[in-house]
Amino acid sequence: MVLSNKLVNKKVVINKLSFNDKQILHKLNNVGITPGSTIKILDYQDSKNIVHILSHGVQYVLREKDCMKIDVNVVQEA
């Protein structure tokens, strides 16, 4: 499934990043957003179309259009 605002308050594992732009991939890699990483979706700001995430203890925002290129699975919490 695609990373989206429907996943607010969920932990997800990243399966695949589908970016053609190597600069964007490099930036995501630098903040720990890579295949196999687990992130938490904290919030969605509708007015700016951004998704607020937590990756390795640090908060980031991603544009909704970029989230459409990130394939994830929800982590089942016990």
Side-chain angles (χ1 to χ4, degrees):
M1 78 180 55
V2 172
L3 180 62
S4 74
N5 61 341
K6 296 175 185 171
L7 298 171
V8 170
N9 294 321
K10 304 263 190 225
K11 285 186 180 181
V12 298
V13 63
I14 298 170
N15 295 325
K16 182 179 177 185
L17 302 173
S18 299
F19 293 92
N20 292 325
D21 187 332
K22 290 183 181 184
Q23 189 174 18
I24 290 175
L25 281 171
H26 181 72
K27 288 179 181 181
L28 292 173
N29 187 39
N30 283 344
V31 298
I33 300 173
T34 59
S37 295
T38 300
I39 61 173
K40 183 171 183 179
I41 315 312
L42 299 175
D43 195 14
Y44 174 72
Q45 192 170 0
D46 197 26
S47 63
K48 295 184 180 180
N49 293 326
I50 57 174
V51 177
H52 188 195
I53 67 164
L54 181 67
S55 173
H56 301 285
V58 182
Q59 296 181 24
Y60 299 99
V61 294
L62 296 173
R63 297 177 295 190
E64 187 174 39
K65 70 178 189 173
D66 290 333
C67 291
M68 300 299 289
K69 297 178 181 181
I70 301 175
D71 183 63
V72 299
N73 281 334
V74 175
V75 174
Q76 300 297 327
E77 295 187 34

